[in-house]
Amino acid sequence: MKKFVVLLLLTILTTGCSSVKKQMTRTIDPQLKTTLFRDQFTGFLLLNATTRDTLYQHNSSKYFTPASNTKIFTLFTSLKLLPERIPTLKYSYVKDTLYIEGTGDPSVLHPYLKDSTAIHFLKPYENIALYLNNFKDKKFGPGWAWDDYDYYYSPERSGFPLYGNVLTIENGDTLQISPNYFKDSIIPFGHSVRRDPIKNLFYFDPTQKDTLEIPFSVDSSLTKNLLEKALGKKIRISPTMPNAAHNVLYGIAADSIYSRMMEVSDNFLAEQLLFLASSTLSDTLNSAKAREFILENHLSDLEQPPRWVDGSGLSRYNLFTPESMVHVLYKLYTEIPRERLFRYFPVGGVAGTLEDWYPGDPEPYIYAKTGSLSNNHCLSGYLLTKSGKTLIFSFMNNHFMEDSSDIKQKMQTIFEEIRDAY
């Protein structure tokens, strides 16, 4: 009798799941066969977060350029390797000198995060030696567009960033410049570029009233000068770091960086988080070290290992599948409390990069990360249905010629139908 009951329940569950899959296929297939999707490359995977049943899949094991969906993997890496508070620098006190080295912490004097933990810590010391040779990577990620160097979304990467590695100009009643170190390096002239390609000479149209962020070119001399100005004292560059055990100074809450990175899709924060993650593995700051460690130790079960080359997704060398995205999103869903996890993601119709799309009816139903490059748009995250179910999805679109708003509109239609029907 018990065996009969078990078999009956399994039959009901199997039949129910099969029915849902057929319903999803009838709902989504016709949409993906329209001319809009037929002339591009599309991948879509939809998973029930509770049962792990695949409700719909289309090219879900194929590789796509993910753009900023890459930040989902960066978030996962950060949550695995970083403590609750960001390691802001490492230090050793030898004789009468404080030796310091960066961890890649992007928050020090950042225009939005504005952390000054490191500055307050360093001010009482008379003799400070700054070691910068632990940064073993390149200023720009592989495959980044060379002519984006002067745009706000493409700051240089470094081991001891200050001010987010950008010059901020706010033209209100008076001209506000941060860091003020560059006040004599700004030419009041409308130019086709915002900064000289090889030196820190900036062009600013004085008729412009919006706040402007321009990446500056980083080197050891500039880092030293900026830190000296912030501290109000001279420091020196050290070619070595003492072998004495390093102490770690901790700064702001890590979640504040994660939320900012995901909500506004901040590329600089994403890149620096991988350096921070690598700082917990060794004294060497290297993005690949963190990526390789995560893939080998926490994501070795991926069916389609990604080609993962940076933290932000600026590179077109990145290749991920919808299945890999959903795999990591599922891990996050099962390992991080739901309320905390959803705070990281842009909210449809409410905040971040989704403020103008996927509005609720009336409550928000999409919590997801966008990923956009020219001719590419992806969205991966969580969908809440009207019946109370939580679904995990990755919807990836590559190589379309239409306006991205056309793609988003069609995606919104599909998501609304899933929300209302399941």
Side-chain angles (χ1 to χ4, degrees):
M1 183 64 179
K2 288 183 178 179
K3 288 183 178 179
F4 173 76
V5 172
V6 170
L7 287 172
L8 180 61
L9 288 172
L10 287 173
T11 300
I12 293 171
L13 288 171
T14 302
T15 303
C17 181
S18 175
S19 175
V20 169
K21 288 180 180 179
K22 289 179 180 178
Q23 179 184 346
M24 289 295 177
T25 300
R26 288 195 299 268
T27 299
I28 301 171
D29 267 1
Q31 306 273 10
L32 298 187
K33 290 178 180 177
T34 59
T35 302
L36 184 70
F37 286 107
R38 190 177 64 228
D39 295 337
Q40 65 176 49
F41 296 100
T42 300
F44 189 24
L45 179 62
L46 187 67
L47 184 83
N48 184 306
T50 302
T51 64
R52 291 200 73 178
D53 289 329
T54 296
L55 306 178
Y56 184 84
Q57 73 84 24
H58 176 78
N59 290 334
S60 62
S61 62
K62 303 296 184 183
Y63 285 90
F64 292 82
T65 300
S68 284
N69 272 200
T70 305
K71 292 183 176 75
I72 293 170
F73 274 63
T74 299
L75 174 66
F76 180 80
T77 301
S78 303
L79 289 166
K80 286 295 182 184
L81 295 182
L82 292 176
E84 290 184 3
R85 304 198 75 83
I86 290 295
T88 194
L89 58 81
K90 295 181 180 180
Y91 65 95
S92 296
Y93 197 74
V94 180
K95 295 183 180 178
D96 65 342
T97 300
L98 181 73
Y99 289 84
I100 61 172
E101 66 179 19
T103 58
D105 177 13
S107 66
V108 182
L109 303 178
H110 186 279
Y112 175 83
L113 299 167
K114 301 182 186 300
D115 184 48
S116 56
T117 303
I119 304 302
H120 290 313
F121 172 77
L122 295 173
K123 276 192 172 181
Y125 292 92
E126 291 299 322
N127 300 313
I128 299 174
L130 174 62
Y131 177 68
L132 296 170
N133 292 338
N134 62 327
F135 183 73
K136 304 293 184 183
D137 219 312
K138 297 180 179 179
K139 290 183 176 183
F140 299 108
W144 288 13
W146 69 267
D147 56 345
D148 285 349
Y149 73 92
D150 63 332
Y151 284 89
Y152 74 94
Y153 55 78
S154 192
E156 294 182 5
R157 312 185 301 181
S158 64
F160 204 121
L162 297 165
Y163 301 96
N165 286 351
V166 296
L167 166 68
T168 303
I169 304 175
E170 185 176 353
N171 193 13
D173 294 335
T174 59
L175 197 64
Q176 301 293 322
I177 300 168
S178 179
N180 190 252
Y181 176 86
F182 292 117
K183 63 182 176 60
D184 296 326
S185 301
I186 300 173
I187 299 175
F189 174 69
H191 201 283
S192 58
V193 297
R194 297 169 177 84
R195 198 201 80 208
D196 185 273
I198 60 175
K199 56 186 176 181
N200 286 319
L201 189 64
F202 306 91
Y203 303 99
F204 178 72
D205 184 350
T207 64
Q208 180 172 342
K209 295 300 180 182
D210 294 335
T211 299
L212 190 65
E213 292 183 355
I214 309 172
F216 53 73
S217 181
V218 181
D219 59 28
S220 58
S221 177
L222 177 62
T223 301
K224 173 179 176 292
N225 292 341
L226 289 176
L227 190 54
E228 284 181 339
K229 193 168 181 64
L231 294 174
K233 68 178 70 177
K234 292 291 183 182
I235 65 175
R236 67 180 175 89
I237 298 289
S238 175
T240 59
M241 189 74 179
N243 291 326
H246 293 171
N247 300 294
V248 179
L249 175 70
Y250 293 94
I252 64 174
D255 271 10
S256 63
I257 296 183
Y258 304 158
S259 297
R260 178 72 179 176
M261 170 189 70
M262 296 291 283
E263 183 173 325
V264 302
S265 202
D266 192 302
N267 296 320
F268 178 69
L269 297 183
E271 295 299 330
Q272 295 299 136
L273 280 170
L274 288 188
F275 294 126
L276 272 166
S278 73
S279 79
T280 67
L281 302 174
S282 73
D283 289 331
T284 300
L285 302 183
N286 180 270
S287 176
K289 185 182 292 290
R291 288 182 273 115
E292 290 167 2
F293 181 87
I294 286 296
L295 290 176
E296 291 172 4
N297 293 275
H298 294 281
L299 295 175
S300 59
D301 53 347
L302 286 174
E303 289 292 330
Q304 303 96 25
R307 185 185 187 190
W308 182 16
V309 305
D310 68 8
S312 63
L314 274 174
S315 177
R316 291 180 184 266
Y317 294 167
N318 288 307
L319 291 172
F320 290 75
T321 68
E323 283 187 23
S324 293
M325 284 294 165
V326 168
H327 182 91
V328 171
L329 287 165
Y330 178 78
K331 281 181 176 285
L332 288 169
Y333 187 77
T334 57
E335 296 172 7
I336 306 296
R338 177 189 176 106
E339 183 179 356
R340 179 188 176 196
L341 176 62
F342 282 14
R343 281 201 301 266
Y344 296 140
F345 286 82
V347 184
V350 175
T353 55
L354 292 184
E355 183 176 1
D356 298 325
W357 291 96
Y358 315 107
D361 181 27
E363 297 299 318
Y365 75 103
I366 291 283
Y367 297 78
K369 183 71 197 76
T370 54
S372 298
L373 292 168
S374 57
N375 312 107
N376 294 273
H377 179 73
C378 305
L379 188 69
S380 300
Y382 307 95
L383 187 157
L384 310 183
T385 70
K386 284 193 171 180
S387 66
K389 297 180 179 65
T390 299
L391 310 183
I392 304 174
F393 70 88
S394 181
F395 200 149
M396 310 185 85
N397 302 279
N398 282 186
H399 309 308
F400 52 79
M401 295 293 289
E402 296 80 7
D403 189 282
S404 64
S405 62
D406 295 335
I407 304 297
K408 294 173 188 176
Q409 186 60 61
K410 183 61 72 172
M411 291 170 65
Q412 181 168 300
T413 299
I414 292 172
F415 286 136
E416 288 176 352
E417 289 180 356
I418 293 170
R419 176 199 64 193
D420 296 344
Y422 181 55

